[in-house]
Structure formats: C-alpha cells, structure tokens
Amino acid sequence: MKLLRFGDINQEKPGIESKDGKHLDCSSFGEDYTEQFFASDGLKRLQDWLDIHEKTLPEIPKSARIGSPISRPSKIICIGLNYLKHAQEAGMAVPEVPIIFMKATSSLCGPFDPIFIPKNSKKTDWEVELAVIIGKRTKYVSKAEAMDHVAGYAVHNDVSERDFQLHHGGQWVKGKSADNFAPLGPLLVTKDEIPDPHQLRLWLKRNGKMLQDSNTSDLIFDIPTIISHLSQYMTLLPGDVISTGTPSGVGMGLNPPTYLEKGDVIELGIDGLGKARQVAMDDPEA
C-alpha cells in the first residue's frame, strides 16, 4: 500500500494512492495513521477494508494539501554520517558505530510545505534521506529480526542549520529541530512494495541543479543494523521515524559552501517512494 494524508495543517485525513495513481480519501475507515493505528495491526486492517471499499472511495481533490504520511510520531531519530562520501565532505571520521541524534517531532511537516529559514540562520542546508517507519514496538531486537518491525519507507529532507548544529554548543539537535525541518512524504510505502530498500536511488536538486545523486547501497550501516542498534538504547514505538543518513552533495560540502536562500526550490525523491518539493522562505514568526 501507499499511504498518504491530506488536508489543512493539523486537520489531515487519511488516504491512499491506488495502483493506478489516484489519491483516494480513506476518511470513512475511521482512523488516522497514528502510533495506535500501527500498534493495532492497522496496515492489515486497512488492506482488508480496502479490499471491500476501495472502488467506492472518493478521489482527493488535486488542489488538496498533502501532509506528512503519518501523524506526529513519538520520535524522529536520525543517523549521521552514514554515507562514506558525506563523511568525507564533512571532514569527519567514518563512524565505527551509528551516530545517533534526534529531531524534534514539532519539525515534522508535509512534503510540499515550505522550508522555514529560522531567525538568525546563516547556514540552512538540505539532506535527502530514506526514512524507515517502525511498525511495532521494538526493543532489544536482533539484526536477523529487525526488518519484521518495519512498516514502510518514505522520503525525508533532514533540513539542517549548520551554524546552529556545529557552532552553538551542545548536541546536533539544535540545528535539526526548527519548524518545518522534517518534510516527510508524500507517501508511506509499505515494505512489501519495496523488494530491496538497500537498492534505491535517492536524489536532490536545488533550483533545478542536481546536487545529491546516490543509492542506498552505499549506506555504511544498513537498516537491520540501525534498528537493532537503536533498540538496545531505546524502545522504538509504532510510527517512529528513523532517517538513515544523507549522501554527499549537501550545501556544507560544496566549494564554496552554499546554503538555502529565500525563494530557493528544493526537489527530491527516492525510487518507488515518490517526489517532494519545498520552497525556502523566511520563518513567518521570526
């Protein structure tokens, strides 16, 4: 299945993308795509419901806003420096174990919502990443069983303010958590539709110029390793988002370094997971 959510901010409704590419309204299913939905075998229940009702579902208006494909999760966990060339362009050592940091869940937004450049920002940057959405409670899981805990995958832009991240003291979370710094979607594609998540092209353009173009085959730590590692330190809950790292081509690594400016257009996508587009703008509350 390909799940999506649509509607105004904080009023999103559940939907799906059908096999013929139509966006269908699943409001009559009666549940949003929340932690409780995933925890209660929601994907199977939704599929069983669709087998009966899909042909009668109304089409979502093309003008409708597309939101994050999941409701606000308990955690957004990110893996840093998980592509070799990105570690090299950042001038940092290749990690021996996964580097873990968090994004505030309040940074979550839709895939076509604007990127807000924060007040006092000097270096707002882009990062296309494969996001993994957890499907059931996960604690102390082995690598061999880790993939059984995956609900599906989505496109994520791990927007980052490098000055906040690297020069304001403390941990990276300061540069990762501004409003609209986590555009997710447009779809949550269930794992049965992605034969090998480690063979997906991911790419990103700024103002039409290709800057990131890589493949998840280049991940330093693969998805089972990441999930197993995280589950040793925290309980992963249904709907949690794990963003698996970005390849080379971020603004910080360009010569000279280049960062988002008001009006810049970011386009990004991953094989089988759809495309997203964001326009940079000043934070309206700054």
Side-chain angles (χ1 to χ4, degrees), residues 84-92 162 212 246-254:
L84 177 60
K85 289 182 180 178
H86 177 53
Q88 292 171 340
E89 74 176 354
M92 299 180 183
R162 303 301 187 186
Q212 293 187 274
T246 198
S248 61
V250 300
M252 178 177 63
L254 300 178

Side-chain angles (χ1 to χ4, degrees), residues 195-251:
D196 186 355
H198 302 101
Q199 291 289 340
L200 300 176
R201 180 186 177 224
L202 68 171
W203 57 269
L204 180 145
K205 298 178 182 180
R206 172 179 177 255
N207 297 332
K209 181 179 180 181
M210 187 72 74
L211 294 177
Q212 293 187 274
D213 192 356
S214 188
N215 193 288
T216 56
S217 61
D218 291 331
L219 286 168
I220 296 171
F221 302 105
D222 64 14
I223 294 167
T225 299
I226 291 168
I227 293 173
S228 178
H229 183 78
L230 289 173
S231 77
Q232 307 306 306
Y233 300 100
M234 66 188 83
T235 300
L236 303 174
L237 296 178
D240 279 358
V241 176
I242 302 171
S243 201
T244 56
T246 198
S248 61
V250 300

